Amino acid sequence: MSFEFTVLKEDKKSGARVGQFNTPHGVIPTPIFMPVGTRATVKAMTSSDLIQLDAKIILSNTYHLFLRPGDELIKKAGGLHRFMNWDRPILTDSGGFQVFSLTENRKISEEGVVFQSHIDGSRVFLSPETSIQVQENLGADIIMAFDECAPYPASREYIEASMERTIRWLDRCIAAKSNNKNQALFGIIQGGMFEDLRIHSAKETVQRDLPGYAIGGLSVGEPLELMKEMLTVTLDYMPKSKPRYLMGVGTPDYLFEAVERGVDMADCVLPTRNARNGYAFTRSGRMNIKNAKYKEDFQPIEQSCDCYACKNYSRAYIRHLILSKEISGGRLLSFHNLRFLLKLMEDIRASIIEDRFLDFKQEFYESFGY
Amino acid sequence: MSFEFTVLKEDKKSGARVGQFNTPHGVIPTPIFMPVGTRATVKAMTSSDLIQLDAKIILSNTYHLFLRPGDELIKKAGGLHRFMNWDRPILTDSGGFQVFSLTENRKISEEGVVFQSHIDGSRVFLSPETSIQVQENLGADIIMAFDECAPYPASREYIEASMERTIRWLDRCIAAKSNNKNQALFGIIQGGMFEDLRIHSAKETVQRDLPGYAIGGLSVGEPLELMKEMLTVTLDYMPKSKPRYLMGVGTPDYLFEAVERGVDMADCVLPTRNARNGYAFTRSGRMNIKNAKYKEDFQPIEQSCDCYACKNYSRAYIRHLILSKEISGGRLLSFHNLRFLLKLMEDIRASIIEDRFLDFKQEFYESFGY
């Protein structure tokens, strides 16, 4: 049955759990990391690359696709799955985050947001209703409510007003959503770094009885300790029976902290962005492949890694490609970094099932150098 | 036996022939198109992509690899084949073309060329001896003599002096080459657009009894008719028993004209460069995927094409990627354009074997719109 979430195992010593989330395009094992394909492509990767990496679900951005090529075009193509040749699950965000972080001259009102397109400067309007309409045209399995991801730091007054509006917008999203059983709408909990506002937002959002809930407005520049605090507070008010998605998180430590507290899903552009800049994740820490010490290093990025780059190419070669600004360099490191996070989540799932999650976390932190 | 060239079939109505050239890394069927991997990577493609496209041999550039990462480093890596994870044949050029086309403040003397590196502005020296040394460190199957590819147009005096020096440089290349049986040195025939100089250069070069010969200094901006004339003149003085390589040619018409006159090998950056700029080769002509008419065109680039892009993605999707400046766009079109030329050469080989090369050429020209 679509959108049924089953918890298969709960860690005895933490909030971590292993589950599975059924979607029309397949079952997602949780906790899961979702690679980001902003413009209907995970940068430098094709869909067969992502299958090879065993990505179980990817995320795509409503804001970007709305502006180009347009959701109507993608609908005509048969939806985002067919357009980008990806038949596993997709999650689309609502466009809220991008409207607030990428656009200029935006005007927020109760009705929605008017902003300038970053492509041609034209004035565009996005609201709860249009966001849902666009996401229905895109046809992702999981769609997100239109929210405001407030900046950090921000005043209590700003956060409170924004959070209350996000709840009102959630109701409009629910009302706007058609009866399509193939799309699940997730609500987003906001509230900035204010405990009581987080709790209020969580309670209100959960009252709407949705198939899943997300935590927004974290990992926006605040210290890790504060993020952990807010995460803990928020998760306490989210039902264990529904998937819990922490938005925009993708460094190994944030993923561990999130999973430890009961988060099931996360996404981030970091693995592919880092890759293009020459950074690789390894179990012994972050590697800057441009460093001169890798010049004549003919080992793979990581001996134990099963990714295409590590099975076939050396650090020296990838370093050469990155320094030469060859597309293949960012591509090979994208293979590695995506596989690193996907494999990390596989290992985390295994550790929870084998009742050794916190031990695994400690081993990983020691090895990584956290 | 390495570097044995066998003509398997000669066309009765033209100079076209089908052959095979044995190299230490495998047999090359001819006529063949060689994708260019300037900096030890065919742009945006990995070695497994090239295997999937069934590239039989690739070309890499001595000039670029000499400057970065350096031929000594590649030698330490076990040679270019291991460095870039490609175990089929490789041909390296001599660096001559790049020294004359890419560098500033170069000084040509009998000894060699001093030029400024395009990477860090440092002064670098390349000569017949250093070019051979670099190419031996790289370890390609086929290496090229250090020559001057003269510009077009150029005076008879300039061309004659340059061509004579190229012959003297060839003798120095032959003398500099070690006794390594795994590398074949090809001489390069120059002579600009002067028939008698072409003939003189061809006779002198062929006298050196090398395992193969190249025609340089064509397709440098001269009209197609002049190119064909010079090609015909030059090929008349090249033995049929050795592979004949026309350097820097990669549009379908130039390939047909070359093969018709007896050329066996060609290379060009065009398929991948065009791809990154949004141009696709098709049997019905060149397609500019950015054109608005492809906006909602959900057909593949070319229905009959067996490449990864055509099997999996639509024109509308690839257009979206190219307009969005996504790496995947150039990558998918590179798949298509490379496969297009490789398949064209497969079809040309088949047409020669089946005694219908000129018919095939005519059909292709009519369909392509030449």
Side-chain angles (χ1 to χ4, degrees), chain B residues 106-360:
Chain B
R106 65 179 166 273
K107 281 192 186 143
I108 311 169
S109 67
E110 187 61 27
E111 186 54 21
V113 189
V114 176
F115 60 93
Q116 245 184 320
S117 158
H118 74 281
I119 296 173
D120 60 9
S122 64
R123 306 212 38 88
V124 188
F125 177 65
L126 211 51
S127 69
E129 291 77 14
T130 51
S131 172
I132 295 299
Q133 176 65 58
V134 170
Q135 291 187 79
E136 292 191 339
N137 283 339
L138 298 177
D141 302 82
I142 303 168
I143 66 177
M144 302 302 296
F146 189 69
D147 66 329
E148 177 180 359
C149 175
Y152 173 82
S155 70
R156 182 180 171 89
E157 291 62 40
Y158 186 93
I159 293 289
E160 185 163 12
S162 159
M163 176 270 285
E164 292 286 6
R165 189 172 48 226
T166 288
I167 294 167
R168 293 191 297 275
W169 282 358
L170 173 58
D171 285 328
R172 285 167 55 191
C173 286
I174 293 167
K177 186 179 180 304
S178 73
N179 200 23
N180 184 346
K181 294 270 189 297
N182 290 322
Q183 290 191 299
L185 174 68
F186 279 27
I188 303 175
I189 298 163
Q190 294 287 351
M193 306 302 157
F194 302 95
E195 199 174 311
D196 60 325
L197 300 185
R198 281 273 159 200
I199 293 171
H200 177 72
S201 176
K203 284 181 172 173
E204 286 291 329
T205 306
V206 167
Q207 259 186 26
R208 270 68 182 175
D209 192 26
L210 297 163
Y213 303 100
I215 304 161
L218 291 185
S219 191
V220 289
E222 78 283 8
L224 174 60
E225 285 310 309
L226 186 54
M227 195 279 282
K228 292 198 286 194
E229 204 180 297
M230 288 301 126
L231 196 53
T232 306
V233 165
T234 311
L235 284 159
D236 272 351
Y237 291 85
M238 294 169 75
K240 290 192 168 183
S241 58
K242 298 287 173 71
R244 304 188 286 201
Y245 162 31
L246 177 59
M247 306 181 83
V249 157
T251 56
D253 55 343
Y254 276 64
L255 289 172
F256 268 108
E257 299 301 335
V259 168
E260 182 176 344
R261 288 163 178 77
V263 165
D264 306 299
M265 303 161 70
D267 76 285
C268 196
V269 297
L270 209 64
T272 45
R273 179 176 294 166
N274 273 354
R276 295 191 305 281
N277 293 322
Y279 293 100
F281 288 125
T282 80
R283 294 269 164 134
S284 356
R286 200 174 76 150
M287 171 186 284
N288 178 358
I289 198 72
K290 288 170 288 188
N291 196 306
K293 72 178 167 186
Y294 302 120
K295 191 174 182 196
E296 299 192 355
D297 186 338
F298 301 115
Q299 300 173 81
I301 295 289
E302 196 162 29
Q303 193 68 51
S304 61
C305 177
D306 61 3
C307 85
Y308 175 73
C310 288
K311 289 284 179 204
N312 292 286
Y313 301 95
S314 67
R315 294 170 179 180
Y317 180 65
I318 294 173
R319 179 177 187 273
H320 159 66
L321 296 178
I322 290 284
L323 290 180
S324 300
K325 304 195 192 310
E326 284 285 348
I327 290 169
S328 306
R331 191 170 132 72
L332 290 177
L333 286 183
S334 293
F335 260 109
H336 175 75
N337 283 348
L338 287 171
R339 183 63 196 144
F340 181 89
L341 290 187
L342 293 167
K343 180 70 164 58
L344 178 62
M345 298 310 263
E346 287 173 14
D347 290 349
I348 284 177
R349 292 196 296 270
S351 77
I352 297 168
I353 288 180
E354 294 160 15
D355 283 320
R356 52 175 184 80
F357 170 73
L358 289 176
D359 293 341
F360 177 54

